């Protein structure tokens, strides 16, 4: 899949992150801490920068695009408060 007319050497990448739930959290693999969407995006952007630095011959550019589809009125509220408002 995705191989049709693909150049032999691809050096660019796009990583798209989307979120629909303002209270959604992800477990940080090293510490087990729960992180929100903004922190997840910061970490993916940082990881992309590290990959570009470590692999300059293989990676010319990586872009991270974050789209928050969640209700702006629900963002930044404590989990219990947001759940009660739903």
């Amino acid at each position: 899949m995705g191989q049709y007319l693909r150049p032999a050497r691809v050096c660019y990448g796009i990583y798209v992150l989307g979120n629909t739930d303002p209270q959604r959290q992800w477990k940080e693999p090293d510490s087990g801490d729960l992180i929100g969407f903004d922190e997840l995006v910061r970490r993916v952007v940082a990881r992309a920068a590290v990959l570009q630095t470590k692999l300059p011959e293989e990676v010319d550019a990586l872009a991270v695009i974050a789209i928050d589809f969640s209700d702006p009125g629900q963002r930044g509220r404590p989990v219990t408060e947001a759940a009660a408002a739903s």
Side-chain angles (χ1 to χ4, degrees):
M1 186 166 169
Q3 299 298 316
Y4 182 71
L5 296 178
R6 181 176 172 218
R9 181 163 149 48
V10 176
C11 302
Y12 300 91
I14 299 172
Y15 197 82
V16 180
L17 300 170
N19 181 43
T20 58
D21 181 357
Q23 302 306 314
R24 172 78 163 94
Q25 295 183 316
W26 291 263
K27 187 182 285 189
E28 203 281 327
D30 294 327
S31 68
D33 292 341
L34 294 176
I35 60 173
F37 186 63
D38 291 340
E39 180 62 21
L40 177 69
V41 171
R42 277 191 285 278
R43 290 175 186 225
V44 172
V45 167
R47 180 70 178 138
V50 167
L51 287 173
Q52 281 184 256
T53 302
K54 280 184 159 180
L55 305 169
E57 298 299 317
E58 291 89 12
V59 179
D60 287 335
L62 290 174
V64 177
I65 300 170
I67 306 170
D68 194 342
F69 297 104
S70 66
D71 180 352
Q74 297 293 314
R75 294 180 199 156
R77 296 165 75 180
V79 174
T80 53
E81 181 183 333
S86 297

